[in-house]
Amino acid sequence: MQSTPLDNQESTPGMARSGVRMAIISNRMESIARKMQNTLFRTARSGVLNTAHDFSCVILTADCQLLASAESLPIHTLIGPDLMCQAVRKYHPELKAGDCFLHNSPYEGDSHAADHCLIVPVVDDGGTVRFFVLAKAHQADCGNSKPTTYMGHASDVYEEGALIFSAAKIQSDYTDNQDLIRMCRTRIRVPEQWWGDYLATLGAVRIGERELLQLGEEIGWEALDDYAGAWFDYSEQKMIQAIKRLPSGEITVHSAHDPFPGVPEGIPVSVTVRIDAEEGRIRVDLRDNPDCQPCGLNLSEGCARTAAMIGIYNGLIDHGVPPNAGSFRRIEIDLRENCVVGIPRHPYSCSVATTNLADRVSTPVQRAIAEIAPGFGMAETGPIMPPAMGVISGRDPRTGEAFVNQIFLGITGGAGTPVTDGFLTIIHAGNAGLCRQDSIEVDELHHPLFVKERRLIPDTEGHGTMRGSPSMYAEFGPIEDCTMHVLYTADGTIHPALGACEGGAGGKSKAFKRERDGSLTSLPNCHGAVLDHGEFIVSHSAGGGGYGPAMRRDPERVLHDLREGWISPERAKDIYGVVITGSAETDTLAVDPVATQVLRETR
């Protein structure tokens, strides 16, 4: 029999051998998750999946611990897949090869009802469950009472209207449960699109199942069990090392979501972060917050825990820590039942749980770490969901068919860090930049949409030694003979992304309707606009907060931003204390180092 690369490692003695073996298996696991993702990305029908990449694929152990996630969205995967697999085990104690479960209940681990998850137990020839594979795909339409997956104004889950599935068996012996299929096709506005996305997601989990069965046959299930334990232990040690680089400390920071339907005063958020460097532990307390609210902003348990953890992983600035159940051992998140950022009670709506209020937990945590440990942490990432990230719907005059899809036409929001400027196209803290900005041409090809303009807005960055990303402007509307609905749930119109360590706040989100005569009408931050041909939505995304004092920013970085048109000469001088000579027209812009030093010394 020909030896495998794993077998060849047996000739290496001791820990080096086991370390190499663990690294090889880890890469194999990550490659399986990537194969799942590649399948979903290349075969999905809706733009939110095949263009924006709003999906995730993960592998969990048989006891429901997160093992591998490749480049999945953090808000989808840190906590939640474990809870959903536990629900599958609870309701289906006897799992068999060929089973597949549809789950989207935010009250039992999922993020929000729009994220349809397919869960498959990986069962060996002897009938033993060895792993779970899970693929989570954001739906263009999930049966809500309005054509959007973000029902921010919904007072409860009944007004929200989505189909809720709790570990529903959608396949037995690799055969679809046609009762569930008909239910979805009947209720969802774009049934053929949903069907294509279902098949893409199903293909992803079945490929993950196939690959894991092959891996188990190749190296043995006992070896994989040993690997999982060792990998978790290694990840925990990496997390301990990362935390020990920080000073110990405790701080309470505050944030707030803008006023919204159902919450006219907005939603204040209090986050207490405690770092125990000696013990190698971080604790986040979210219990001192309001009860669940009569709107769609309530966080599911998965999103509440994950949002806090995202802030921790961002704040450590150590990307060598694997995000899995092993490193999770060093993090404690305190929640309380029936809390708006805790554990929701049915029937409160969690329709917008992955984005708005979740970011109002993640970004204060990363800012808190910066305040406890300057040189670590981050400023706040820009609040999310301006109209350029809304859900568009209507009937395409070119085909006569209904369309529903979320667009990603213009969102920035990256926060300044101790060592880098803000990630220009991060979109929001919860997806870590893994969702993608839409191609204008692709959106116009797929939908009856015309994009009039997209650009960055000058002087909207959160100033700092390392600045946040500037806001983005996008203007779009329907083509001729089309009426388009645009539903969006913007935050950051009142409360911007705050800076850290003396950094400045990012620009605020704004929304307007451009009338046929060219005039602009200001729109609410949570709104459903109706556009006819010749009318446009104007969207300003939120900018990211800055990190550190602006007067310490490298003058050459200021010059770069000025050349790019991201800041004005006045801002370069007044905010950053940098004197620029020459002109952009003649391409002679340059820093005057002497005048800059004098100006900064007088500030």
Side-chain angles (χ1 to χ4, degrees):
M1 180 182 295
Q2 184 178 4
S3 63
T4 68
L6 295 177
D7 295 329
N8 292 337
Q9 301 306 322
E10 296 298 338
S11 61
T12 307
M15 293 181 63
R17 179 189 64 195
S18 61
V20 170
R21 184 180 179 86
M22 183 173 66
I24 292 172
I25 298 177
S26 293
N27 284 332
R28 290 283 294 273
M29 288 290 181
E30 292 290 319
S31 73
I32 292 171
R34 289 190 184 94
K35 286 181 179 180
M36 295 168 64
Q37 292 173 319
N38 194 49
T39 300
L40 214 165
F41 176 61
R42 291 183 178 276
T43 60
R45 291 186 185 174
S46 61
V48 69
L49 300 179
N50 64 32
T51 300
H53 210 273
D54 194 351
F55 62 84
S56 299
C57 298
V58 299
I59 301 169
L60 300 99
T61 59
D63 59 350
C64 308
Q65 297 188 78
L66 180 66
L67 183 63
S69 56
E71 293 95 7
S72 291
L73 312 188
I75 195 64
H76 280 175
T77 57
L78 298 186
I79 300 295
D82 53 342
L83 302 176
M84 290 186 280
C85 288
Q86 290 168 20
V88 168
R89 279 202 171 277
K90 174 182 176 181
Y91 297 126
H92 304 275
E94 294 186 16
L95 299 171
K96 298 179 180 179
D99 287 347
C100 181
F101 302 92
L102 172 60
H103 187 100
N104 73 331
S105 171
Y107 311 106
E108 296 172 292
D110 196 24
S111 35
H112 63 155
D115 286 334
H116 280 197
C117 298
L118 292 185
I119 304 168
V120 164
V122 179
V123 182
D124 68 14
D125 290 340
T128 300
V129 176
R130 296 296 185 175
F131 292 98
F132 285 95
V133 288
L134 181 150
K136 175 181 289 194
H138 186 107
Q139 301 302 298
D141 187 274
C142 62
N144 277 335
S145 58
K146 291 189 176 181
T148 178
T149 53
Y150 298 101
M151 293 283 290
H153 62 281
S155 59
D156 57 28
V157 71
Y158 305 115
E159 186 176 358
E160 181 183 337
L163 289 164
I164 303 291
F165 298 98
S166 175
K169 186 181 285 189
I170 200 163
Q171 275 199 335
S172 299
D173 195 24
Y174 300 98
T175 301
D176 287 333
N177 179 340
Q178 291 298 328
D179 293 340
L180 294 183
I181 299 297
R182 288 195 306 276
M183 185 183 298
C184 291
R185 291 179 69 105
T186 301
R187 179 62 177 271
I188 290 172
R189 294 173 176 84
V190 281
E192 291 305 314
Q193 182 172 285
W194 172 84
W195 174 243
D197 289 345
Y198 165 74
L199 292 177
T201 311
L202 182 64
V205 288
R206 289 304 182 196
I207 280 178
E209 175 192 33
R210 181 194 69 190
E211 295 292 318
L212 284 168
L213 288 172
Q214 289 178 355
L215 184 59
E217 182 179 352
E218 177 184 336
I219 68 173
W221 296 114
E222 184 177 348
L224 287 179
D225 288 342
D226 292 343
Y227 151 74
W231 182 235
F232 289 150
D233 290 344
Y234 167 82
S235 302
E236 181 179 15
Q237 289 303 311
K238 290 291 290 183
M239 177 60 94
I240 292 171
Q241 293 169 15
I243 296 172
K244 285 183 177 293
R245 297 189 187 106
L246 308 175
S248 294
E250 182 174 329
I251 190 172
T252 298
V253 297
H254 301 278
S255 183
H257 193 285
D258 288 353
F260 225 62
V263 284
E265 303 301 319
I267 301 176
V269 177
S270 176
V271 175
T272 299
V273 176
R274 181 175 185 270
I275 299 173
D276 188 334
E278 184 176 348
E279 292 293 324
R281 292 189 178 278
I282 296 180
R283 186 169 198 155
V284 179
D285 192 340
L286 299 177
R287 292 173 294 184
D288 187 20
N289 282 296
D291 289 343
C292 287
Q293 298 293 301
C295 65
L297 298 179
N298 301 286
L299 297 191
S300 62
E301 181 179 357
C303 283
R305 294 190 185 279
T306 295
M309 292 169 72
I310 287 170
I312 292 171
Y313 281 91
N314 285 349
L316 293 175
I317 315 295
D318 185 343
H319 305 297
V321 179
N324 61 34
S327 57
F328 298 170
R329 296 169 184 167
R330 313 308 296 184
I331 299 173
E332 299 176 46
I333 312 297
D334 293 326
L335 304 179
R336 68 176 179 85
E337 190 176 346
N338 197 42
C339 179
V340 70
V341 291
I343 305 171
R345 288 180 186 158
H346 187 277
Y348 283 104
S349 172
C350 302
S351 183
V352 195
T354 56
T355 53
N356 295 38
L357 202 58
D359 284 3
R360 292 296 187 174
V361 172
S362 298
T363 58
V365 170
Q366 62 198 38
R367 179 165 59 90
I369 292 175
E371 300 300 334
I372 295 173
F376 294 88
M378 298 172 67
E380 291 191 353
T381 306
I384 196 176
M385 300 294 283
M389 200 179 170
V391 177
I392 60 172
S393 63
R395 191 164 294 278
D396 192 332
R398 301 169 299 184
T399 64
E401 296 181 354
F403 67 92
V404 182
N405 192 50
Q406 184 180 9
I407 56 174
F408 289 68
L409 267 174
I411 318 95
T412 54
T417 81
V419 294
T420 63
D421 290 333
F423 186 168
L424 186 60
T425 57
I426 191 171
I427 298 181
H428 78 120
N431 69 30
L434 292 170
C435 280
R436 304 173 183 181
Q437 303 279 340
D438 288 1
S439 159
I440 290 174
E441 292 77 9
V442 169
D443 274 0
E444 290 180 336
L445 179 65
H446 287 174
H447 307 296
L449 175 75
F450 172 65
V451 181
K452 187 175 183 180
E453 186 177 2
R454 178 167 68 177
R455 57 178 170 81
L456 296 176
I457 305 174
D459 297 344
T460 54
E461 87 296 351
H463 60 73
T465 309
M466 293 296 174
R467 58 151 177 78
S469 63
S471 300
M472 185 174 285
Y473 178 102
E475 185 169 351
F476 62 93
I479 64 173
E480 191 172 0
D481 297 325
C482 178
T483 297
M484 178 180 291
H485 294 251
V486 183
L487 287 90
Y488 63 91
T489 55
D491 188 19
T493 62
I494 296 174
H495 301 291
L498 299 181
C501 301
E502 302 181 54
K508 295 179 181 179
S509 179
K510 298 177 183 179
F512 304 93
K513 178 181 178 182
R514 189 177 297 280
E515 310 291 349
R516 284 194 175 91
D517 62 4
S519 63
L520 291 177
T521 302
S522 182
L523 298 178
N525 61 335
C526 179
H527 185 60
V530 180
L531 303 177
D532 291 319
H533 180 57
E535 299 174 329
F536 295 87
I537 281 279
V538 174
S539 170
H540 292 217
S541 71
Y547 194 109
M551 288 291 175
R552 295 182 187 173
R553 183 165 176 77
D554 182 346
E556 291 300 321
R557 287 182 176 268
V558 177
L559 177 61
H560 168 273
D561 292 348
L562 179 60
R563 284 174 171 163
E564 292 293 325
W566 297 351
I567 63 171
S568 63
E570 294 76 18
R571 191 167 179 85
K573 182 177 180 180
D574 297 341
I575 300 298
Y576 294 100
V578 176
V579 179
I580 306 292
T581 61
S583 71
E585 290 75 11
T586 58
D587 196 25
T588 56
L589 291 173
V591 174
D592 184 329
V594 175
T596 295
Q597 182 178 354
V598 171
L599 178 60
R600 286 185 165 185
E601 288 176 349
T602 60
R603 292 293 175 89

